[in-house]
Amino acid sequence: QVQLVESGGGLVQAGGSLRLSCAASGSISSINAMAWYRQAPGKQRELVAAISAGIPAYYADSLKGRFTISRDSAKNTVYLQMNSLKPEDTAVYYCNRYSPVIAAINYWGQGTQVTVSS
């Protein structure tokens, strides 16, 4: 099983930017679609963005134009560039394979905390 390690989170003021990285211990080239998810305190984990070769990346409606997902299969790494951050973006961010049913994913890395202050 591929192990995932997220990094790049931190404390940032509203309007600021962060770039998250997700390093996989094994090859992700065989994983068709990768995604970023987030979980805010007291809320369910939600899909943030997903990327798959040959089709446009997917973004949650509230994030379009602010977040950009990218993937470097040679480095087994997935990135999430986050701009114009808002306090409501505060959450723990996770990467994983894309699944239309988040509950079907049974392995998660430790995630990376993003805190946006107003």
Side-chain angles (χ1 to χ4, degrees):
Q1 179 171 296
V2 175
Q3 303 295 311
L4 303 166
V5 179
E6 301 90 345
S7 63
L11 174 63
V12 64
Q13 289 188 332
S17 298
L18 285 172
R19 187 192 194 206
L20 306 184
S21 297
C22 171
S25 62
S27 174
I28 61 172
S29 61
S30 62
I31 301 176
N32 185 38
M34 292 293 294
W36 282 94
Y37 304 84
R38 69 183 182 184
Q39 186 166 20
K43 295 187 178 181
Q44 291 187 333
R45 198 165 297 183
E46 62 178 355
L47 176 65
V48 171
I51 186 168
S52 182
I55 61 174
Y58 165 85
Y59 298 95
D61 286 343
S62 63
L63 307 176
K64 289 180 181 178
R66 299 194 296 123
F67 288 16
T68 303
I69 187 171
S70 60
R71 174 177 181 171
D72 187 335
S73 294
K75 295 182 178 180
N76 294 320
T77 303
V78 182
Y79 304 97
L80 185 68
Q81 177 68 43
M82 307 187 296
N83 299 327
S84 302
L85 283 162
K86 303 176 181 180
E88 51 264 43
D89 295 320
T90 294
V92 179
Y93 285 71
Y94 304 86
C95 74
N96 215 312
R97 63 178 175 83
Y98 167 73
S99 174
V101 179
I102 296 175
I105 300 175
N106 55 16
Y107 164 77
W108 294 93
Q110 86 287 351
T112 186
Q113 175 71 49
V114 172
T115 303
V116 185
S117 62
S118 57

